[in-house]
Amino acid sequence: MSDMKLTKDKMLTFTGHEKISTLKAGEKLTEFGDNQNNANELLATNINALIKRVCALEDQQVKTAEVLRRIADELNSFKKEIDRVRLAEKLNSGAIERIDRALKLADGDGK
């Protein structure tokens, strides 16, 4: 990619405003045309490389969004599971306290 780097020298297609004789005009036009074609090829190559990079970035963005969606779904599942465990723990601790009080009452220690 370094040889495709656009520099001022590579993009310079017209080298000056010197007087051109009629006999040299065709030669200068050919030189200008060749230089312009080379500059156009470099631009096209760089634009195509940029398009490929943008497409790759877009593909990566789609994949990343999918991964983040899956992670969000898993986090929601974990949250629901944690809420369920907390509720079960509260219910169980209440049941344990009632059983404990009942046992104390049965032993005659209860209030």
Side-chain angles (χ1 to χ4, degrees):
M1 181 99 166
S2 62
D3 63 332
M4 294 186 310
K5 186 175 181 180
L6 298 179
T7 62
K8 184 177 179 180
D9 291 337
K10 287 183 180 179
M11 298 309 296
L12 188 64
T13 59
F14 183 69
T15 56
H17 294 282
E18 71 269 358
K19 277 217 164 209
I20 302 171
S21 69
T22 307
L23 297 176
K24 296 278 186 176
E27 182 181 319
K28 282 294 189 181
L29 280 175
T30 301
E31 179 185 333
F32 170 77
D34 290 342
N35 290 342
Q36 188 63 50
N37 287 341
N38 289 336
N40 291 344
E41 286 178 27
L42 281 173
L43 282 172
T45 301
N46 278 275
I47 288 171
N48 288 333
L50 287 172
I51 289 170
K52 286 179 184 177
R53 288 174 61 190
V54 167
C55 289
L57 288 171
E58 287 173 343
D59 291 343
Q60 186 62 39
Q61 181 183 10
V62 168
K63 289 176 186 175
T64 301
E66 176 64 23
V67 167
L68 289 175
R69 187 194 58 75
R70 282 193 240 146
I71 290 171
D73 290 346
E74 285 297 318
L75 286 174
N76 284 335
S77 296
F78 289 150
K79 184 183 180 308
K80 288 177 185 176
E81 183 66 18
I82 286 173
D83 289 345
R84 187 193 65 74
V85 168
R86 284 181 182 153
L87 179 61
E89 185 267 331
K90 284 181 184 178
L91 294 174
N92 288 340
S93 64
I96 290 171
E97 288 174 11
R98 287 192 302 274
I99 291 171
D100 187 43
R101 272 189 254 128
L103 287 173
K104 285 182 181 177
L105 283 173
D107 290 340
D109 299 339
K111 299 176 186 171

